[in-house]
């Protein structure tokens, strides 16, 4: 376990007794004015790039790219834009693509004399049959804590009737989209979602997703009409809550009066 | 990342029915004959889009354990293309050094890009003229195959589908259902 004095971010790291399954996750879905679940050709979210607490009790370094996040054993936290073809049928629920940022704790490494530290990565993922079939990570210094970046997923017709989902990010400091990944699928419209997840009992998941928009069939980006908490996976003491900030914005807050 | 299915009630808001004949779906389901009595049969609610309509037989099978048999509509060409793309993937990770563009776009000190492919995916022969597609990953093991749609069902679907077919899926928990068991179960359907 890394000593607090060795960390680069001593004010935002909490040591605890880690259980591997100390994991909490929120999915927030787009809703129509009548509360329905829309499927659209894309989704985007302005997500606050937070410097969240990480629980160094879960001190095993999390090697990015070890089985989406299913293989994570250390402290990590993430926020993403996300889309599934549907939330009702088994088949639809098992497919998804997402992009966002991932904050990871690394222990000190005496062999390389690396100090313990946090790193922020761009993270993408594709699932089929509920299985992680493809994912990517890349360390991105432009992920600047306390700024908002725009994460976009946009559908384009592919070959053989398939659909290419283009995943990109617009760092506010650069003012332009950067293509990160393209995932080819057999579904052509998805439910716009936002996702927040944390690993480690003392790890935080404070989230602020605003200016949520979906892409219409004519290619126009418009505000989500509303949003609703879709799913709360909680293997911890359940200290975090969903709060609807507006029709096209939501927060995840610590011990607020919200709920899923 | 997502979660696995609800292995007891996999359709969110699904309606329990007594037999496939009363499913009321926009296609005629093909009831399995050799998996024994299911725990339950579920269908999607009436208000889902046609493309999301689905029927699921939930089993506690004496040999295979918890098993879902799923049938839903699909367009054959993109589904087949997706199978082929997945089958061509080699599991493992590729690491590429940051390019000059990466540094310009992601910032000074951009790290290597790590792209990983998970799970195993391949085709197998289900019956002499019938191919199936097998997936095994961190959450589920599944076998997929396509059945032709009745002509009257295809006509009723209209323009929403280009080459509609019924996709049948046998699915179980990855840590309980092996690939060979899933293939055996699929062959027995």
């Amino acid at each position: 376990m890394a000593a607090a004095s060795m960390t680069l971010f001593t004010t935002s790291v909490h040591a605890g007794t880690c259980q591997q399954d100390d994991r909490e996750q929120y999915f927030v879905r787009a809703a129509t004015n009548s509360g329905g679940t829309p499927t659209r050709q894309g989704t985007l979210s302005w997500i606050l790039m937070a410097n969240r607490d990480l629980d160094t009790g879960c001190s095993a370094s999390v090697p990015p790219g070890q089985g989406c996040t299913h293989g994570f054993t250390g402290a990590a936290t993430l926020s993403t834009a996300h889309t599934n073809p549907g939330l009702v049928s088994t088949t639809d629920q098992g497919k998804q693509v997402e992009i966002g940022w991932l904050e990871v704790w690394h222990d000190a490494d005496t062999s390389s004399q690396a100090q313990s530290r946090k790193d922020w990565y761009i993270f993408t993922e594709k699932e089929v049959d509920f299985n992680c079939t493809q994912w990517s990570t890349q360390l991105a210094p432009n992920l600047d804590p306390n700024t908002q970046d725009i994460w976009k997923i946009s559908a384009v017709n592919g070959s053989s009737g398939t659909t290419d989902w283009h995943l990109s990010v617009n760092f506010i400091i650069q003012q332009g989209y950067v293509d990160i990944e393209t995932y080819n699928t057999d579904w052509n419209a998805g439910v716009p979602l936002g996702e927040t997840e944390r690993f480690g009992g003392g790890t935080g998941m404070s989230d602020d997703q605003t200016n949520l928009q979906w892409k219409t069939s004519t290619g126009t980006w418009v505000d989500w009409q509303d949003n609703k908490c879709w799913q709360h996976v909680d293997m911890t003491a359940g200290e975090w809550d969903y709060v609807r900030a507006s029709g096209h914005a939501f927060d995840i807050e610590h011990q607020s009066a919200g709920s899923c | 990342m997502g979660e696995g299915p609800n292995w007891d009630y996999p359709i969110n808001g699904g309606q329990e029915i007594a037999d496939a004949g009363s499913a009321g779906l926009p296609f005629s389901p093909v009831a399995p004959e050799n998996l024994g009595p299911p725990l339950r049969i579920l269908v999607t609610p009436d208000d889902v889009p046609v493309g999301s309509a689905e029927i699921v037989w939930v089993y506690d099978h004496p040999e295979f354990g918890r098993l879902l048999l799923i049938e839903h509509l699909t367009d054959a060409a993109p589904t087949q293309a997706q199978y082929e793309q997945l089958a061509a993937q080699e599991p493992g990770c590729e690491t590429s050094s940051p390019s000059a563009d990466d540094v310009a776009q992601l910032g000074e000190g951009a790290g290597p890009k790590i792209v990983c492919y998970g799970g195993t995916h391949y085709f197998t022969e289900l019956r002499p003229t019938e191919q199936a597609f097998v997936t095994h990953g961190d959450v589920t093991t599944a076998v997929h195959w396509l059945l032709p749609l009745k002509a009257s069902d295809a006509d009723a679907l209209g323009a929403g589908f280009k080459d509609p077919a019924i996709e049948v899926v046998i699915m179980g928990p990855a840590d309980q259902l092996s690939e060979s068991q899933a293939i055996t179960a699929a062959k027995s359907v």
Side-chain angles (χ1 to χ4, degrees), chain A residues 20-259:
Chain A
Q20 187 166 344
D21 287 336
D22 271 355
R23 184 165 74 81
E24 187 170 3
Q25 186 177 31
Y26 276 96
F27 292 96
V28 178
R29 72 165 175 87
T32 60
N33 285 328
S34 60
T37 306
T39 57
R40 297 291 184 262
Q41 279 63 50
T43 186
L44 69 78
S45 175
W46 294 50
I47 305 178
L48 181 66
M49 242 302 300
N51 179 7
R52 294 180 182 160
D53 293 351
L54 288 176
D55 188 341
T56 58
C58 301
S59 60
S61 291
V62 183
Q66 296 289 312
C68 284
T69 50
H70 299 296
F72 282 9
T73 55
T77 182
L78 61 87
S79 285
T80 65
H82 175 131
T83 189
N84 284 56
L87 304 177
V88 176
S89 77
T90 321
T91 313
D92 286 349
Q93 291 179 67
K95 300 174 180 178
Q96 59 126 319
V97 297
E98 68 179 283
I99 181 170
W101 61 265
L102 166 70
E103 178 186 335
V104 173
W105 175 252
H106 296 285
D107 280 343
D109 182 349
T110 52
S111 63
S112 65
Q113 298 188 325
Q115 288 186 291
S116 53
R117 68 187 191 282
K118 293 176 173 184
D119 280 328
W120 284 269
Y121 297 85
I122 295 169
F123 172 73
T124 73
E125 178 185 307
K126 172 187 173 182
E127 289 189 7
V128 175
D129 285 346
F130 301 91
N131 296 322
C132 185
T133 61
Q134 190 174 341
W135 64 98
S136 71
T137 55
Q138 186 164 22
L139 187 68
N142 279 353
L143 289 173
D144 188 14
N146 302 314
T147 63
Q148 279 190 309
D149 303 306
I150 311 171
W151 302 88
K152 185 165 77 171
I153 301 174
S154 180
V156 176
N157 290 339
S159 59
S160 305
T162 57
T163 297
D164 288 334
W165 293 88
H166 292 266
L167 281 55
S168 58
V169 59
N170 185 348
F171 301 110
I172 299 301
I173 55 174
Q174 289 224 327
Q175 296 293 325
Y177 279 98
V178 178
D179 293 331
I180 301 299
E181 200 66 64
T182 298
Y183 286 139
N184 181 258
T185 73
D186 63 353
W187 44 283
N188 58 19
V191 179
L193 292 147
E195 179 183 345
T196 312
E197 185 171 18
R198 69 189 181 101
F199 298 81
T203 297
M205 61 188 302
S206 170
D207 204 1
D208 179 11
Q209 298 205 21
T210 63
N211 300 304
L212 295 156
Q213 293 190 320
W214 64 52
K215 182 182 167 187
T216 67
S217 57
T218 59
T220 306
W221 289 90
V222 298
D223 286 348
W224 289 17
Q225 292 174 355
D226 204 350
N227 67 87
K228 293 182 181 298
C229 188
W230 155 245
Q231 193 175 47
H232 180 206
V233 178
D234 188 12
M235 300 172 184
T236 70
E239 297 173 344
W240 295 83
D241 301 301
Y242 156 80
V243 177
R244 179 188 178 281
S246 73
H248 49 87
F250 71 88
D251 300 327
I252 303 296
E253 296 179 355
H254 192 232
Q255 291 183 324
S256 75
S259 64

Side-chain angles (χ1 to χ4, degrees), chain B residues 29-125:
Chain B
V30 182
E33 296 176 348
N34 300 311
L35 287 174
L39 283 178
R40 64 189 60 90
I41 307 172
L42 300 166
V43 293
T44 43
D46 295 339
D47 60 354
V48 298
V50 170
S52 293
E54 180 182 89
I55 181 169
V56 182
W57 288 262
V58 181
Y59 293 95
D60 248 343
H61 193 276
E63 182 180 353
F64 308 124
R66 180 51 54 93
L67 206 63
L68 307 179
L69 191 145
I70 304 163
E71 292 181 7
H72 72 112
L73 286 172
T74 193
D75 260 329
T79 299
Q80 183 71 23
Q82 186 68 182
Y83 291 168
E84 289 169 2
Q85 187 193 61
L86 288 167
Q89 284 185 185
E90 288 289 330
C93 296
E94 300 164 355
T95 302
S96 54
S97 300
S99 64
D101 280 350
D102 286 341
V103 173
Q105 294 175 330
L106 306 182
E108 193 68 39
K113 184 172 186 179
I114 304 172
V115 178
C116 298
Y117 303 92
T120 52
H121 312 92
Y122 55 91
F123 289 96
T124 190
E125 188 177 89

